[in-house]
Amino acid sequence: PSVVFSHPTVGTVGYTEKEAIAKFGKDEVKVYSAKFSGMFYAMMDEADKVKTGMKLVCQGENEKVVGIHIVGQGADEMLQGFGVAFKMGATKTDFDSCVAIHPTSAEELVTMGQWGTIRGNIVLPEDVRTPQS
């Protein structure tokens, strides 16, 4: 991972969208992105709010995450944790199946795409699925 301690902070690991397309081909790359103002700025005038931008670059049918890019407050801290997932070969499904910590900016990385949609099946333990009397 690499971080530039600017204002706002910039953090990146892996391929950019352009690099991934050059390496794997356009049909093999899917990009998820988001732009928003973090909760830190909630009470400020719209003109004063600093935007956060995030991008997940995924490759192949299983959507292996091959790039994570964050621009915004806390990008350095967020990328430190998500860099571990990246190094472990995480997929978009791995990100989607992670419970989002709300309200945080980091939650955006695990809710990108259709919010609340999880690829694949999650099987709950029997005692969770069955109502207790």
Side-chain angles (χ1 to χ4, degrees), residues 55-119:
K55 186 181 277 192
L56 282 178
V57 182
C58 302
Q59 184 267 323
E61 188 176 322
N62 70 342
E63 293 189 299
K64 179 180 179 182
V65 177
V66 295
I68 305 170
H69 310 283
I70 309 168
V71 177
Q73 184 180 25
D76 48 346
E77 296 290 341
M78 286 184 272
L79 193 64
Q80 185 67 61
F82 284 105
V84 173
F86 173 84
K87 288 291 198 179
M88 295 178 72
T91 64
K92 179 71 167 76
T93 298
D94 294 326
F95 276 57
D96 290 347
S97 65
C98 183
V99 174
I101 301 171
H102 181 74
T104 66
S105 293
E107 76 180 294
E108 193 66 30
L109 286 171
V110 299
T111 60
M112 281 189 176
Q114 292 182 303
W115 193 91
T117 299
I118 297 177
R119 292 176 170 75

Side-chain angles (χ1 to χ4, degrees), residues 22-70:
K23 180 169 179 72
F24 304 111
K26 186 169 180 61
D27 293 340
E28 282 290 308
V29 175
K30 185 164 185 180
V31 176
Y32 298 85
S33 62
K35 186 176 180 183
F36 59 93
S37 293
M39 292 296 291
F40 178 84
Y41 302 103
M43 303 305 290
M44 294 183 174
D45 291 332
E46 193 62 36
D48 297 327
K49 292 180 179 181
V50 177
K51 298 290 186 201
T52 295
M54 297 181 172
K55 186 181 277 192
L56 282 178
V57 182
C58 302
Q59 184 267 323
E61 188 176 322
N62 70 342
E63 293 189 299
K64 179 180 179 182
V65 177
V66 295
I68 305 170
H69 310 283
I70 309 168

